[in-house]
Amino acid sequence: MNRYLHLVKPGTLFDDRHVTRASEMLQAWNGKEKVEGYAVVGVPLSKSSISHSGASFAPGTIRRAFSSYTTYSIEKDYDLIGTKLHDFGDIRIHVTDIAASQERVYDMVSAILTDHKVFPIILGGDNSITFPNVKAFAETKGKVGIIQFDAHHDVRNLVDGGPSNGTPFRSLLENKIIDGENLVQIGIRNFSNSKAYRDYVSEHSAHVFTMKDVREQGIVSILQEVIADLAKRVDAIYVSLDMDVVDQAFAPGCPAIGPGGMNTDTLFDAFDFLGRQPLVQGFEVVEIDPTVDFRDMTSRLAAYTILTLLAGKNYV
Ligand code: CA
């Protein structure tokens, strides 16, 4: 009989020895060991947002949200219990200089991907971090395709406002880090974009699936088509999830909320499918502002989506 049966780790309320919390998968990287598997890194940058954003707080709330879930997928009868998420911590952001911050993001993501054999799970931050993230990802992976879940094209011109959370995909195209034909935008929404930027994306031969396409064709059918097409040209696929692709009813904690977005069932079907694709080798979630969220609903949605991706990946 264990005399210390009822001593638990501090903060472990209502601990039950038969329940493993998903937060236990997160294990702090020791600063030197070469690791394999999954790497989590937070990018608390949101000063680059066009509108007011507290997305810099999201890496913390998303990590904490993992404690809301267990490691067990009942739908697959699969337990993620042995899956380690090596947590590299957060990238130090420059207090005032956005370009310097982006450079640090590029340097750190690049170091993680070069020194370790890992699938990056990057917690933003706003959508501006996509540019340094993908730049680093592309340099280590070769020809890269992007599947972008977003309400917006994010190809604003760089002359009016400089690099921001409205410009990352334009920067990637214009710096030739990705080819337009290998950019797939899914969930682009009515009354949230302009014709000029729709035309810009088409001129670059990027693929656009609006929310109407998602409703009518179905997300898995779209992704099957997309993966089959990208597989002809790319070495790896990076999945970018701007949480504002999800309807405001499910994701109230985004700076740009709105109706007509994706529901969570559709999102999870997408990430379960993507988890099974060997070409999918990197992931980021951006645009969650915990300061305007309700009970961390949107951060919890991010954690649940990551678990869905991981369980999908391990599907047998
Ligand atoms: Ca976006």
Side-chain angles (χ1 to χ4, degrees):
M1 179 72 183
N2 177 4
R3 274 155 47 84
Y4 298 101
L5 183 65
H6 296 306
L7 282 180
V8 296
K9 277 190 268 183
T12 319
L13 283 177
F14 313 119
D15 178 69
D16 179 317
R17 81 199 70 170
H18 297 300
V19 175
T20 314
R21 294 272 145 202
S23 46
E24 292 177 41
M25 292 158 61
L26 284 163
Q27 301 196 355
W29 178 57
N30 67 10
K32 47 184 183 291
E33 188 189 356
K34 284 205 184 302
V35 294
E36 289 190 16
Y38 299 96
V40 171
V41 62
V43 186
L45 175 63
S46 54
K47 285 181 178 167
S48 31
S49 291
I50 294 169
S51 58
H52 175 78
S53 173
S56 55
F57 296 105
T61 52
I62 297 168
R63 282 189 184 89
R64 283 194 291 283
F66 278 97
S67 63
S68 304
Y69 304 111
T70 72
T71 52
Y72 177 57
S73 163
I74 192 167
E75 293 179 7
K76 295 176 183 298
D77 191 23
Y78 182 82
D79 203 319
L80 288 165
I81 198 163
T83 305
K84 280 187 194 163
L85 305 179
H86 302 284
D87 192 345
F88 283 73
D90 288 348
I91 296 172
R92 184 187 295 117
I93 295 302
H94 191 285
V95 177
T96 53
D97 188 334
I98 292 169
S101 293
Q102 299 222 343
E103 196 60 30
R104 290 181 187 183
V105 174
Y106 165 74
D107 287 345
M108 294 304 100
V109 174
S110 191
I112 291 169
L113 293 178
T114 308
D115 295 346
H116 307 272
K117 202 176 162 192
V118 287
F119 182 115
I121 296 174
I122 303 173
L123 312 177
D126 71 28
N127 223 144
S128 73
I129 70 169
T130 303
F131 177 69
N133 288 347
V134 173
K135 188 175 169 210
F137 183 80
E139 281 175 9
T140 52
K141 299 288 182 181
K143 190 74 119 176
V144 162
I146 297 184
I147 299 178
Q148 171 198 0
F149 291 83
D150 207 318
H152 314 96
H153 294 295
D154 285 356
V155 292
R156 283 178 182 236
N157 79 81
L158 286 133
V159 175
D160 289 346
S164 69
N165 64 337
T167 64
F169 296 94
R170 192 182 190 109
S171 296
L172 288 168
L173 291 168
E174 295 193 351
N175 286 280
K176 307 208 179 307
I177 293 167
I178 54 167
D179 295 335
E181 61 178 353
N182 297 331
L183 172 62
V184 182
Q185 304 192 312
I186 297 178
I188 304 296
R189 209 178 299 173
N190 256 357
F191 312 119
S192 309
N193 295 277
S194 70
K195 176 159 171 51
Y197 294 137
R198 171 70 180 95
D199 291 346
Y200 174 90
V201 167
S202 295
E203 282 157 17
H204 284 78
S205 309
H207 308 270
V208 174
F209 295 89
T210 64
M211 273 313 302
K212 185 168 189 281
D213 297 326
V214 172
R215 287 194 303 274
E216 293 183 351
Q217 189 180 338
I219 193 69
V220 172
S221 163
I222 287 174
L223 289 172
Q224 279 170 335
E225 181 184 313
V226 162
I227 297 271
D229 180 52
L230 288 177
K232 294 177 204 157
R233 298 185 299 275
V234 305
D235 303 307
I237 294 172
Y238 183 86
V239 176
S240 174
L241 171 61
D242 178 334
M243 206 50 106
D244 73 19
V245 76
V246 177
D247 192 278
Q248 61 187 7
F250 302 93
C254 294
I257 54 168
M262 198 174 276
N263 64 33
T264 47
D265 290 345
T266 305
L267 183 72
F268 300 147
D269 284 349
F271 277 79
D272 176 58
F273 179 82
L274 290 171
R276 253 174 281 159
Q277 310 305 317
L279 267 182
V280 171
Q281 293 172 20
F283 168 78
E284 66 178 16
V285 58
V286 295
E287 296 292 332
I288 296 172
D289 178 354
T291 68
V292 295
D293 206 359
F294 178 72
R295 298 187 67 192
D296 287 333
M297 277 174 69
T298 315
S299 294
R300 284 168 175 244
L301 176 57
Y304 194 108
T305 305
I306 292 167
L307 293 172
T308 303
L309 179 76
L310 295 174
K313 195 163 194 62
N314 287 284
Y315 186 78
V316 282

